[in-house]
Each structure stands twice: as structure tokens, then as C-alpha cells.
């Protein structure tokens, strides 16, 4: 493809993207394909000779779109919000064009410096303590990672390194291999699965602690666990607190658990992947109380801050815990300005890194802080509107408090009928939702996901749910609620897991 063709197809692609997003309501929100659908339609080998891009373009609608789930449809209510805006897409386009591999400042100074600036902008927007900022008094700062999972894993490794160093300093005769099997981390029973995965990858124990009736991790629970584990010869070293859990958007009590972590030299990481974006609005900041005790904090702007996947931001108070822990510095990566600015390769797992701050910069300048606040508040308002519709109907109940853009609800008649309701909704196909299970209560989650969602869309989704509920309740007769079911959140699944194979979360 030459520059002329690139201009031609670039314009055509931009038009295609704008049409796709503006008319997304007209598409069926979920695909109807079965595994292997694409293999049946595409050749087994790459083309021997170049093809005309016009032909490639035609195949987008023919082959790709039938297998796409339209996450940015206002009728997609699964998981959590997912960012998607024009300035962010333009940022990715430019990043792809520049195509630098920004592992060090010298590798492309703008790539590093814009990241320093924009992560500071964002940190200030969220009212993070200044110790987390590059412009703050210490050694802290923000860095863009791919995902919250990667951040949790990185923090766990840094925490592991920190505690091992401390113990070795205090007991010069002790060997690392005798320390590692004794390390134990903590998270709430509501923590994201990525926390357990980090522990598996980091080869340490992770104890799930029971949350209270508001699904929040409390100080006494943590204190008891630490005492118990210390008596068993274990060494508590890491805690992943959640602000906005995946299941119900619950918040751990940082004011209680933070001081305990500090006293016990436990690294507190805060996973605020979804809910953290709401802290741009002062009225939500009370959920962050106690953040000053955290070593690290992470938010996914690619979830709820208008940025396309992938862009997750992690802030650390003392970056030397990363830089010193994972520093391998071959001569070919060194440069004369080392130490004056971050060399972000030390702050992450891969060596190479994209110029992702461009999309953050483009979005922040296009929306401004007020635009981001307006978007967050609109999503929260739409969730409240949906909650009211659900409560006014009388046949449903809210299963956990609606605090942001997520509503958790179910049929009052219980688990089985709620599960049938979901099957009916998915069969209907006009909207998409996923279930969750918490303490044997099976419920549905309606997340406000798309930027363009309106009150009318929410009323439409409610009408679909209502019609499906009518059908399920009509055919249920004198149905009796029986055993609890176990259903996990799984992106690949359109239908809930079959009931009856009972497994509880306790
Ligand atoms: C609270 C929370 N933490 C972590 C994650 C994982 O996010 P990521 O895909 O960025 O790893 C999610 C995903 O929804 C989440 O809700």
C-alpha cells in the first residue's frame, strides 16, 4: 500500500468507524456464531500474492463483524464500562504511526515525558496523595500498564522482593528459599480473579478473607488472619484491597485495613480498576479514605474513562521498589540522561512499550476534567434510573447497593427463576447481561457500558427484561426455589452455566 492508497483507505476506515459507532444500536448486540465460524470461511493459507485492499475492506462486514460482540452498543450491559472515544482512537492511530518502542527516555523522549505529565494530570484529577505523583515530594509516579492484572502481579513481585530484602537484612543467615514458602498475601473474598492469578504466578500463598455484610473487607478480619498466619509461621507481606469489586462494586474499608498493613509492613495495593475513575468527581472520594496507607494504586481508564483498551494506570509512592527489584541493565539500553527522568522499562514486565499516553492526552484535552465528570455522573444517573424502574416493578429486588454505574438485581422469586430470566434475555438477544453469584444469591448485573447510552436506552433494556420476566413468571407456575447454583463471570459464555452442579464461593 502506498501513501496515496493509505490516504484513500484511511479516510474510508475513519468513515467506517464513525458509521459503526454512530449506528451501533442497529446491530444485534451479541454475535450468533459458533466456535470455528471463521475458519470455515477464510482460507487455510495466507495469500500468495498481494490483494487489493478494496477486497480486504469488503471482508470486514462479511467475515469479521458477524463474530463481533458490540461492547459499545448501549444494549451491552455485561462486565463493566469499556472506554471508546474518537480522540482516544486518534491517539492510537498516531501511536501506531510513530511506532516507537519507548523502553527508555532516550528511545523516544516524548513517549516517556508525555506519560509522566499525563499520569500526573490524572493523579491530580483523582485527588491522589502527592506522594503518588512524579511532581510530588518523593520518588513516586504513575506508569501506564496494559491491564490491572499486570499491575497487581508487578506489585506483588515488588512486595515479595521488599519483604525478602528486609528479612535477609535482619537475619543475614536466612536463605531466600526458606522465606518464599512462608509468604502470604491477602485479598477479600470479593477480589478479582486476577489477584489469585498473581499469587499463582508469583508462587506465594494468597488468603481470601471474608468480607462483611456490605461485601467490604474490615480491619478485624484482617487482624485475625494476620495473627493466625503468624502463629502458623507464615509471613504476611501483601494485601490487594478493592475499591469497586467486580461482582457488585463493593469497597474495602481502607481506613481500617490501611493502618494494620502499615504496622505489619504489609504492602497495600489498591485495585480500583473500574470505580477509580469515579474519583474524578469529589462526591465519590469518600470511598478512597485511607488511600494514604497504600504503596500502589491502579485504575483502568480503558474501563470507565473514555479510553480504548488497553490503558491501565498504576501509581507507586516509591518507584525504587520497582526499579531496584527488577533492574537488569545491559549496556545497549543505557543512555547519558539516566536518572533525570524515568526509564519506564524498569516499571513494567515487558521491555518494549507503546506510546499509549497519546490517547490519554488527546482524550483529556478533548473532554477536559468537566467532560469526564459529566460522563461519569451520567452513567451513575442512568444506573439510578434503571434501579428505580426495577424497584417500581415490584417483582424484582436490588441485591446490593447501587453506588456507581452498576445495578445488581434479581427476581424476588429467587435463584432458579432469575437464572431462567437470564436465559430468556440472552435468547431474546436484544440486550446483553451477565450473572454473578454472591453468598448463594444468584443475581444479574446491569452495567452502563457505552458512552452513548441514554435514558431511552435504559428504558428499552428494562422493557426487554420486563417482557422476559413476564414470560418466565407466567410459565413458572408453582415453582419452588431449590438449591443454589454456581455461576462465574466468563466472557466466552453466552448462556449461564447449568445449575445443579452446586459449588459455593465460601
Ligand atoms: C476490580 C477489577 N480488578 C481487576 C480487573 C481485571 O482488569 P484487567 O482486564 O485490566 O486486568 C477487573 C476486570 O473487570 C476488575 O473488575
Amino acid at each position: 500500500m502506498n501513501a496515496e492508497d493509505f490516504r484513500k483507505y484511511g479516510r474510508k476506515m475513519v468513515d467506517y468507524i464513525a458509521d459503526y459507532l454512530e449506528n451501533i444500536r442497529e446491530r444485534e448486540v451479541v454475535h450468533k456464531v459458533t466456535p470455528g465460524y471463521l475458519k470455515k470461511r477464510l482460507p487455510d493459507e495466507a495469500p500468495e500474492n498481494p490483494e487489493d485492499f478494496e477486497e480486504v475492506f469488503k471482508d470486514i462486514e462479511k467475515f469479521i463483524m458477524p463474530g463481533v460482540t458490540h461492547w459499545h452498543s448501549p444494549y451491552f450491559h455485561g462486565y463493566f464500562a469499556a472506554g471508546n472515544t474518537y480522540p482516544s482512537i486518534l491517539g492510537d492511530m498516531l501511536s501506531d504511526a510513530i511506532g516507537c518502542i519507548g523502553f527508555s527516555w532516550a528511545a523516544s523522549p516524548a513517549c516517556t515525558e508525555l506519560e509522566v505529565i499525563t499520569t500526573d494530570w490524572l493523579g491530580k484529577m483523582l485527588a491522589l496523595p502527592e506522594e503518588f505523583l512524579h511532581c510530588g515530594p518523593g520518588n513516586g509516579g504513575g506508569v501506564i500498564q496494559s491491564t490491572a492484572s499486570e499491575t497487581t502481579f508487578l506489585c506483588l513481585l515488588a512486595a515479595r522482593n521488599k519483604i525478602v530484602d528486609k528479612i535477609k537484612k535482619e537475619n543475614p543467615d536466612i536463605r531466600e528459599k526458606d522465606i518464599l514458602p512462608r509468604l502470604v498475601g491477602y485479598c477479600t473474598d470479593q477480589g478479582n480473579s486476577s489477584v489469585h492469578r498473581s499469587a499463582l504466578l508469583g508462587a506465594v500463598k494468597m488468603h481470601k478473607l471474608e468480607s462483611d455484610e456490605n461485601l467490604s473487607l474490615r480491619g478485624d478480619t484482617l487482624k485475625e488472619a494476620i495473627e493466625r498466619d503468624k502463629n502458623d509461621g507464615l509471613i504476611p507481606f501483601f494485601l490487594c484491597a478493592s475499591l469497586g469489586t467486580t461482582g457488585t462494586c463493593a469497597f474495602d474499608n481502607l481506613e481500617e485495613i490501611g493502618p494494620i498493613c502499615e504496622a505489619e509492613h504489609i504492602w497495600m495495593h489498591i485495585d480500583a480498576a473500574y470505580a477509580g475513575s469515579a474519583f474524578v468527581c469529589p462526591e465519590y472520594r469518600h470511598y478512597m479514605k485511607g488511600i494514604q496507607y497504600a504503596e500502589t494504586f491502579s485504575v483502568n481508564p480503558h474501563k470507565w474513562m473514555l479510553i480504548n483498551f488497553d490503558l491501565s494506570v498504576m501509581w507507586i509512592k516509591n518507584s525504587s521498589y520497582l526499579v531496584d527489584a527488577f533492574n537488569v541493565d545491559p549496556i545497549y539500553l543505557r543512555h547519558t540522561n539516566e536518572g533525570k527522568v524515568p526509564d519506564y522499562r524498569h516499571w513494567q514486565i515487558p521491555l518494549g512499550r507503546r506510546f499509549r499516553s497519546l490517547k490519554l492526552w488527546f482524550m483529556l484535552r478533548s473532554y477536559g476534567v468537566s467532560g469526564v465528570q459529566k460522563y461519569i455522573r451520567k452513567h451513575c444517573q442512568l444506573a439510578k434510573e434503571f434501579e428505580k424502574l426495577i424497584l417500581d416493578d415490584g417483582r424484582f429486588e436490588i441485591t446490593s447497593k447501587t453506588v456507581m454505574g452498576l445495578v445488581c438485581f434479581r427476581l424476588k422469586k429467587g435463584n432458579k427463576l432469575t437464572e431462567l430470566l437470564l436465559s430468556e434475555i440472552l435468547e431474546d438477544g436484544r440486550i446483553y447481561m451477565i450473572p454473578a453469584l454472591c453468598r448463594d444469591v444468584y443475581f444479574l448485573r446491569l452495567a452502563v457500558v457505552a458512552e452513548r447510552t441514554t435514558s431511552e436506552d435504559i428504558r428499552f433494556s428494562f422493557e426487554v427484561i420486563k417482557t422476559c420476566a413476564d414470560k418466565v413468571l407466567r410459565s413458572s407456575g408453582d415453582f419452588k426455589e431449590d438449591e443454589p447454583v454456581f455461576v462465574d463471570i466468563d466472557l466466552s459464555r453466552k448462556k449461564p452455566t447449568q445449575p445443579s452442579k452446586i459449588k459455593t464461593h465460601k
Side-chain angles (χ1 to χ4, degrees):
M1 186 183 282
N2 58 28
E4 210 175 299
D5 282 344
F6 177 69
R7 285 180 208 280
K8 177 178 159 192
Y9 289 112
R11 287 193 187 104
K12 199 167 164 172
M13 183 61 83
V14 166
D15 283 341
Y16 179 84
I17 291 170
D19 287 344
Y20 169 70
L21 290 172
E22 296 305 318
N23 301 314
I24 203 164
R25 276 185 188 79
E26 287 157 27
R27 293 182 185 258
E28 286 209 22
V29 60
V30 182
H31 62 81
K32 290 213 175 342
V33 299
T34 50
Y37 93 98
L38 200 51
K39 189 160 171 39
K40 286 187 207 137
R41 301 199 202 173
L42 295 189
D44 287 338
E45 314 286 336
E48 187 62 33
N49 296 309
E51 292 184 62
D52 193 317
F53 201 74
E54 198 62 48
E55 293 306 308
V56 181
F57 217 111
K58 281 186 204 150
D59 288 349
I60 301 172
E61 273 301 318
K62 202 163 158 194
F63 297 130
I64 301 303
M65 283 300 169
V68 169
T69 298
H70 302 289
W71 279 63
H72 301 289
S73 161
Y75 310 133
F76 182 91
H77 297 297
Y79 313 98
F80 271 137
N84 186 341
T85 53
Y86 294 126
S88 171
I89 295 171
L90 291 176
D92 262 350
M93 271 173 74
L94 182 59
S95 166
D96 286 348
I98 294 172
C100 63
I101 314 291
F103 45 76
S104 69
W105 176 85
S108 219
C111 180
T112 296
E113 296 204 11
L114 190 64
E115 191 161 327
V116 168
I117 292 166
T118 49
T119 54
D120 268 4
W121 279 10
L122 196 56
K124 289 179 193 169
M125 283 168 64
L126 302 181
L128 298 187
E130 57 177 6
E131 289 87 344
F132 284 110
L133 306 181
H134 292 281
C135 62
N139 207 6
V143 57
I144 296 175
Q145 308 279 355
S146 298
T147 60
S149 315
E150 207 172 303
T151 293
T152 306
F153 180 48
L154 191 67
C155 295
L156 180 133
L157 293 181
R160 193 182 76 174
N161 199 68
K162 183 178 174 221
I163 192 82
V164 168
D165 276 357
K166 177 175 178 293
I167 295 171
K168 278 177 28 188
K169 254 183 220 139
E170 289 163 3
N171 312 277
D173 296 336
I174 198 162
R175 287 175 305 174
E176 189 162 329
K177 76 176 183 53
D178 297 320
I179 303 171
L180 292 178
R182 293 171 58 202
L183 296 183
V184 59
Y186 302 105
C187 67
T188 127
D189 53 8
Q190 303 300 310
N192 186 262
S193 57
S194 55
V195 184
H196 306 285
R197 192 120 190 279
S198 297
L200 286 176
L201 293 168
V204 293
K205 295 175 191 57
M206 178 67 64
H207 287 176
K208 239 189 230 186
L209 307 182
E210 195 173 342
S211 49
D212 72 1
E213 66 283 3
N214 296 316
L215 306 176
S216 168
L217 178 61
R218 305 295 301 272
D220 286 346
T221 311
L222 176 63
K223 221 184 246 170
E224 275 169 33
I226 292 172
E227 280 315 306
R228 204 170 40 239
D229 287 338
K230 287 205 305 200
N231 286 338
D232 289 345
L234 299 180
I235 306 168
F237 81 107
F238 178 76
L239 178 138
C240 181
S242 302
L243 291 186
T245 57
T246 311
T248 65
C249 198
F251 294 82
D252 289 338
N253 190 323
L254 303 182
E255 279 186 304
E256 288 182 7
I257 60 183
I260 302 169
C261 289
E262 186 176 69
E264 298 284 343
H265 304 287
I266 292 174
W267 180 302
M268 182 164 85
H269 170 62
I270 299 177
D271 172 6
Y274 164 71
S277 293
F279 302 147
V280 72
C281 303
E283 65 270 29
Y284 291 109
R285 290 188 192 146
H286 58 98
Y287 290 113
M288 310 164 65
K289 275 189 188 157
I291 189 182
Q292 68 274 18
Y293 296 104
E295 292 287 350
T296 39
F297 178 83
S298 90
V299 169
N300 281 1
H302 69 229
K303 275 190 164 42
W304 204 18
M305 209 189 272
L306 301 159
I307 300 288
N308 295 64
F309 190 83
D310 56 343
L311 195 150
S312 178
V313 182
M314 158 189 164
W315 287 269
I316 184 163
K317 271 184 188 162
N318 185 351
S319 60
S320 60
Y321 289 135
L322 289 180
V323 177
D324 298 346
F326 312 119
N327 193 342
V328 280
D329 238 354
I331 192 155
Y332 53 85
L333 295 177
R334 297 203 188 136
H335 60 90
T336 47
N337 287 297
E338 274 177 9
K340 295 181 190 155
V341 277
D343 278 332
Y344 272 131
R345 69 178 180 281
H346 300 307
W347 297 50
Q348 60 171 18
I349 294 168
L351 174 61
R353 56 202 333 271
R354 301 180 67 229
F355 199 162
R356 279 178 296 208
S357 54
L358 277 173
K359 56 181 167 180
L360 187 55
W361 192 48
F362 283 8
M363 185 284 289
L364 290 174
R365 292 186 61 189
S366 304
Y367 282 73
V369 178
S370 61
V372 178
Q373 288 172 329
K374 193 169 156 202
Y375 155 78
I376 296 277
R377 287 177 180 137
K378 182 181 131 196
H379 272 203
C380 297
Q381 176 58 35
L382 291 171
K384 281 284 173 204
E385 285 177 24
F386 179 77
E387 183 188 44
K388 182 166 183 325
L389 291 169
I390 280 288
L391 289 172
D392 287 351
D393 180 282
R395 295 172 299 173
F396 301 99
E397 61 191 2
I398 295 295
T399 54
S400 48
K401 203 171 156 195
T402 304
V403 288
M404 290 181 180
L406 175 74
V407 185
C408 301
F409 69 100
R410 69 174 196 155
L411 278 169
K412 283 179 182 166
K413 282 205 165 181
N415 284 359
K416 268 272 171 66
L417 281 185
T418 306
E419 189 174 358
L420 287 174
L421 171 61
L422 181 62
S423 294
E424 196 59 49
I425 292 168
L426 297 178
E427 197 59 47
D428 176 281
R430 285 177 291 168
I431 66 169
Y432 183 74
M433 292 172 68
I434 59 165
L437 185 87
C438 184
R439 306 212 169 121
D440 298 341
V441 173
Y442 179 92
F443 59 93
L444 308 187
R445 293 167 80 264
L446 182 131
V448 183
V449 173
E451 186 197 3
R452 290 170 184 73
T453 311
T454 61
S455 296
E456 204 180 349
D457 292 323
I458 288 295
R459 282 197 299 276
F460 174 83
S461 294
F462 175 70
E463 281 305 318
V464 173
I465 294 166
K466 195 167 152 259
T467 314
C468 292
D470 290 344
K471 217 164 154 186
V472 165
L473 290 170
R474 240 195 337 262
S475 58
S476 70
D478 59 350
F479 178 87
K480 287 195 183 59
E481 172 66 356
D482 68 6
E483 300 276 55
V485 290
F486 174 79
V487 178
D488 226 350
I489 294 170
D490 176 356
L491 177 58
S492 65
R493 203 168 47 224
K494 197 176 157 197
K495 296 233 161 87
T497 310
Q498 287 305 305
S500 78
K501 300 284 170 285
I502 297 157
K503 206 166 140 199
T504 61
H505 259 317
K506 286 197 190 128

